[in-house]
Amino acid sequence: FLLFIAVELGMQGKFGGQSNAVAVVNGEAVTSQEFYVIYNQELEGAWKAIRSTMTDADEQALRQEVVDRLIGQTLAWQEARRLKYAVSPAETETMIRGMPVFLDQQGQFDPLRYETALGRLGITPQLFQMEQERAASAGRVETFVRESVRVTDLELWLEYLRWHRRMRLALLAFPTAEA
């Protein structure tokens, strides 16, 4: 399938695009709020240990990594919807209600705990649900693609032989020194 991606980094709203978009993927905006949720999670997660020593280049690399990840996830989500393989809102709701962070002492979903956690993150329930739906749908498509690729033992062996022969030829190409 043909993909058209228009990325508007640092140009939000200058050419009639969505003023809140960090990227536009096939006409669908990736909002700055979505970006900052993931970006802040990265700063508090894997990058936390080196956060105080991050250079401007490190920060720019992290920002680009987050944008690239959101673009890839959006593409996978769009493909999941096109193939009618996306996670439904009901499935998303079930996933969220089963997340241990939102369960009370008895293992039941606690709406207050849910609202409080999202409030601390600074995101709305709608955005959180959309992000969960997008991530789960993207994961579903990626799993489908990964599981549909099969390589037989014979194919692996033939590829090994092809590379092995190429390596031997490269070794034979070097002249030997005569003693």
Side-chain angles (χ1 to χ4, degrees), residues 136-166:
S137 295
R140 188 180 275 182
V141 168
E142 290 164 4
T143 299
F144 172 75
V145 170
R146 191 177 314 111
E147 290 179 354
S148 66
V149 175
R150 299 281 184 237
V151 179
T152 66
D153 290 340
L154 177 61
E155 290 170 320
L156 285 173
W157 179 247
L158 291 173
E159 186 64 14
Y160 167 79
L161 289 176
R162 186 175 74 82
W163 277 99
H164 182 68
R165 286 186 189 122
R166 185 182 295 171

Side-chain angles (χ1 to χ4, degrees), residues 20-22 30-40 70 121-124 127-128 131:
N20 194 24
V22 294
V30 176
T31 68
S32 58
Q33 187 179 18
E34 294 171 83
F35 168 81
Y36 281 110
V37 166
I38 303 298
Y39 179 74
N40 288 330
L70 285 168
L121 293 173
I123 60 176
T124 65
L127 178 61
F128 183 74
E131 284 299 315

Side-chain angles (χ1 to χ4, degrees), residues 11-71:
M11 312 271 297
Q12 295 93 352
K14 292 194 174 154
F15 297 104
Q18 286 103 342
S19 61
N20 194 24
V22 294
V24 178
V25 183
N26 294 329
E28 190 168 327
V30 176
T31 68
S32 58
Q33 187 179 18
E34 294 171 83
F35 168 81
Y36 281 110
V37 166
I38 303 298
Y39 179 74
N40 288 330
Q41 286 174 352
E42 287 294 322
L43 285 178
E44 292 302 317
W47 289 77
K48 189 173 188 174
I50 64 166
R51 187 174 181 183
S52 63
T53 61
M54 281 179 70
T55 65
D56 288 343
D58 292 335
E59 188 173 342
Q60 186 59 34
L62 175 59
R63 287 176 180 272
Q64 189 60 51
E65 180 184 317
V66 170
V67 169
D68 291 346
R69 187 178 334 149
L70 285 168
I71 289 170

Side-chain angles (χ1 to χ4, degrees), residues 59-134:
E59 188 173 342
Q60 186 59 34
L62 175 59
R63 287 176 180 272
Q64 189 60 51
E65 180 184 317
V66 170
V67 169
D68 291 346
R69 187 178 334 149
L70 285 168
I71 289 170
Q73 195 178 62
T74 301
L75 285 169
W77 188 32
Q78 289 171 349
E79 187 63 7
R81 289 185 310 206
R82 186 183 75 77
L83 295 171
K84 308 239 185 299
Y85 208 56
V87 174
S88 72
E91 289 173 296
T92 305
E93 177 92 14
T94 301
M95 281 185 337
I96 291 170
R97 289 181 164 276
M99 291 180 173
V101 70
F102 302 135
L103 302 180
D104 62 15
Q105 308 287 13
Q106 291 78 33
Q108 299 296 314
F109 178 75
D110 183 353
L112 181 59
R113 186 177 282 203
Y114 175 68
E115 294 288 332
T116 303
L118 294 184
R120 268 191 255 126
L121 293 173
I123 60 176
T124 65
Q126 295 80 12
L127 178 61
F128 183 74
Q129 289 169 346
M130 186 192 70
E131 284 299 315
Q132 293 303 308
E133 185 178 334
R134 182 189 322 214

